[in-house]
Amino acid sequence: MNFFTKIFAGQSLISWVLQIIFIFLAWKVADHQIPNNLTTILGAAVLVILTYISLAHDGKSRANKK
């Protein structure tokens, strides 16, 4: 798990992965490969919340290092 907490360009790798998954999901919805329904919206909401938590954790760990 330490691999995912490595900082790259100011964010942990898990934050980058979550953002890439979110972009992939948005792209698939825009291309009509995934339906734009409640399940997709809830999945996107979960990704946004997880990304926010990850970024908040990154900021907290950076503040503790100083």
Side-chain angles (χ1 to χ4, degrees):
M1 191 65 184
N2 272 344
F3 176 73
F4 288 114
T5 58
K6 298 285 185 192
I7 300 296
F8 176 73
Q11 298 178 14
S12 64
L13 291 178
I14 192 70
S15 297
W16 283 107
V17 168
L18 288 168
Q19 291 175 59
I20 290 170
I21 292 170
F22 186 74
I23 291 168
F24 178 76
L25 179 67
W27 198 317
K28 291 292 185 178
V29 169
D31 285 343
H32 303 290
Q33 295 176 354
I34 296 176
N36 187 9
N37 57 18
L38 185 61
T39 305
T40 306
I41 293 170
L42 289 176
V46 168
L47 281 173
V48 168
I49 291 169
L50 288 174
T51 303
Y52 176 77
I53 291 170
S54 177
L55 290 172
H57 183 268
D58 294 347
K60 188 182 290 185
S61 66
R62 255 186 273 127
N64 288 339
K65 286 183 181 179
K66 288 184 178 182

